[in-house]
């Protein structure tokens, strides 16, 4: 069966790392049909729309989407794209690889971030010259859906339950509902949980990341804490993510358009290639997914490496090395 894969490179290094990941997928000779579409600052400039309807429709109908990054228009692009795949969870693994000079070389975490609400639900107002407000939305249904996913995720025998990270001591109604709902669903499924306040988590994960494994958290906390974890494992060039919905999913590196290095051909393609490995697993190509993971890990350990990891190789060199190792 042919799978249609939407490819949306976007802006900046999205234009460099997304084709690199497609090159890796093509090397596997799976029956994929790649369909490319535009989104981001450049297409806004051209057409007046950061996310053209045809791009949205493509993501909403393709079996899976690979997205690079968008610049200033990131929120106008990625939030609707996540909605196009009805994604309720953002999976963000943060793993330190052998051979990489990581702050915490034993880090191996997976964030399961609520992906539809919280402070990113968009209810922001400027009331007066002096006052702006934001309404935070948390629902029992979205919290339960995330919790069900988390219970399935840890059911593979490789995890001892998960941590619930929240700030319910202050945000009693919203994070209180989140925490209580996630805990209830976990209890009903016989999944062990512990609870950590998000500020305390930030400190504890820096000092000793090994005490954590799977972390379930609200939207903003997951965004911030996963970038923090990127710092522990060697930088944003290494963090992949998957936005999973009931019928389709969108895969993207955690990083943005990296304007400081865009156009130089030196962006680290690893985050996007690992995102492509997650895409393979999502579509059921487990062996191919593992092969890509292994090729990336081998390349990270033995080189060549891009400048963000202390090397002097280009995006193309690293991609070629990964393809060769497949
Ligand atoms: P960024 O992730 O683009 O860059 C932060 C730092 O990490 C930079 O020094 C950059 O060079 C480095 N970096 C990131 N990815 C790298 C890679 N693959 N290889 C080597 N180095 C890498 O975040 P920043 O600078 O805060 O944002 C730049 C633009 O990206 C902004 O316009 C922002 O709105 C957008 N952005 C878009 C996102 C998305 O589309 N999902 C996510 C985050 C930011
Ligand atoms: Mg972010």
């Amino acid at each position: 069966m042919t799978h249609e894969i939407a490819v949306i490179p976007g802006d900046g290094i999205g234009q460099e790392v997304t084709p690199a990941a497609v090159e890796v997928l093509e090397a596997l000779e799976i029956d994929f049909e790649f369909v490319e579409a535009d989104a981001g600052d450049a297409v806004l400039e051209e057409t007046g729309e950061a996310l053209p309807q045809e791009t949205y429709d493509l993501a909403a109908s393709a079996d899976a989407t690979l997205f690079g990054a968008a610049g200033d228009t990131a929120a106008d692009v990625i939030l609707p794209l996540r909605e196009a795949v009805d994604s309720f969870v953002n999976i963000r693994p943060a793993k330190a690889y052998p051979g990489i000079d990581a702050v915490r070389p034993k880090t191996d975490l997976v964030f399961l971030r609520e992906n539809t609400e919280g402070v990113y639900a968009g209810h922001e107002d400027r009331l007066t010259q002096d006052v702006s407000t934001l309404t935070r939305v948390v629902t029992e249904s979205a919290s339960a859906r995330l919790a069900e996913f988390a219970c399935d995720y840890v059911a593979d025998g490789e995890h001892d339950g998960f941590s619930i990270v929240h700030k319910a001591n202050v945000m009693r109604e919203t994070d209180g509902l989140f925490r209580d709902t996630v805990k209830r669903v976990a209890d009903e499924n016989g999944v062990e949980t512990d609870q950590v306040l998000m500020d305390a988590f930030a400190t504890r994960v820096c000092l000793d990341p090994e005490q954590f494994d799977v972390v379930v958290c609200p939207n903003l906390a997951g965004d911030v804490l996963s970038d923090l974890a990127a710092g522990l494992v060697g930088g944003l060039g290494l963090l992949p993510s998957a936005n999973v919905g009931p019928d389709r999913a969108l895969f993207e590196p955690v990083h943005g358009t990296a304007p400081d290095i865009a156009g130089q051909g030196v962006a680290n393609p690893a985050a996007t290639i690992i995102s492509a490995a997650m895409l393979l697993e999502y579509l059921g190509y487990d062996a191919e997914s593992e092969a890509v993971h292994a090729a990336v890990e081998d390349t990270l350990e033995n080189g060549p490496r891009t400048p963000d990891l202390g090397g002097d190789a280009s995006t193309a060199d690293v991609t070629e090395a990964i393809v060769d190792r497949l």
Side-chain angles (χ1 to χ4, degrees):
M1 192 177 80
T2 306
H3 290 288
E4 187 180 61
I5 313 292
V7 178
I8 307 172
D11 302 311
I13 63 166
Q15 291 285 344
E16 301 166 40
V17 294
T18 316
V22 171
E23 205 179 311
V24 171
L25 289 174
E26 276 173 340
L28 296 166
E29 293 176 5
I30 297 171
D31 193 8
F32 283 154
E33 191 197 341
F34 297 98
V35 184
E36 199 169 315
D38 294 326
D41 298 0
V43 69
L44 173 72
E45 192 113 310
E46 261 171 54
T47 68
E49 275 183 310
L51 185 64
Q53 186 66 39
E54 64 198 50
T55 305
Y56 181 94
D57 291 345
L58 176 67
S61 64
D63 296 303
T65 298
L66 191 63
F67 173 64
D72 292 339
T73 52
D76 306 319
V77 170
I78 191 61
L79 298 180
L81 277 180
R82 286 173 185 160
E83 182 202 286
V85 301
D86 193 16
S87 167
F88 58 89
V89 56
N90 188 204
I91 309 172
R92 294 188 160 194
K95 181 175 167 181
Y97 292 100
I100 298 300
D101 185 19
V103 175
R104 291 288 177 212
K106 288 182 180 156
T107 307
D108 191 357
L109 297 163
V110 178
F111 291 87
L112 301 179
R113 163 189 173 191
E114 202 290 320
N115 215 16
T116 63
E117 54 186 30
V119 293
Y120 290 175
H123 303 285
E124 260 198 316
D125 288 298
R126 179 74 178 258
L127 295 186
T128 68
Q129 184 65 25
D130 189 38
V131 181
S132 293
T133 58
L134 166 63
T135 304
R136 184 165 192 259
V137 179
V138 172
T139 63
E140 186 177 3
S141 51
S143 305
R145 188 152 82 144
L146 174 67
E148 300 278 0
F149 183 90
C151 290
D152 283 349
Y153 191 89
V154 299
D156 63 358
E158 287 174 29
H159 306 281
D160 302 322
F162 56 79
S163 303
I164 308 170
V165 171
H166 62 85
K167 188 80 182 172
N169 57 334
V170 177
M171 295 182 280
R172 293 197 184 99
E173 282 304 329
T174 49
D175 267 12
L177 179 60
F178 177 83
R179 177 200 57 195
D180 294 348
T181 305
V182 175
K183 172 88 170 84
R184 173 179 56 75
V185 170
D187 288 349
E188 285 166 8
N189 285 280
V191 171
E192 270 187 49
T193 56
D194 60 357
Q195 298 182 18
V196 192
L197 293 173
M198 66 171 81
D199 44 1
F201 177 88
T203 306
R204 283 174 57 186
V205 77
C206 289
L207 292 173
D208 177 20
E210 283 174 84
Q211 65 187 292
F212 299 111
D213 176 16
V214 178
V215 179
V216 176
C217 48
N219 204 338
L220 173 64
D223 191 7
V224 175
L225 295 172
S226 57
D227 271 35
L228 183 147
L232 299 179
V233 303
L236 279 167
L238 296 172
L239 256 70
S241 79
N243 299 277
V244 175
D247 301 314
R248 42 187 52 82
L250 179 145
F251 301 83
E252 52 167 339
V254 168
H255 63 71
T257 57
D260 51 338
I261 58 165
Q264 298 172 23
V266 295
N268 188 348
T272 314
I273 294 173
I274 303 168
S275 302
M278 294 174 82
L279 179 153
L280 289 164
E281 188 186 349
Y282 173 77
L283 292 176
Y285 296 99
D286 290 0
E288 290 85 349
S289 172
E290 275 168 36
V292 173
H293 279 297
V296 172
E297 287 183 29
D298 190 10
T299 306
L300 289 173
E301 184 167 3
N302 300 302
R305 298 198 191 105
T306 43
D308 56 307
L309 300 177
D312 56 10
S314 68
T315 310
D317 297 334
V318 172
T319 308
E320 193 187 317
I322 291 170
V323 170
D324 284 349
R325 283 170 166 120
L326 278 174

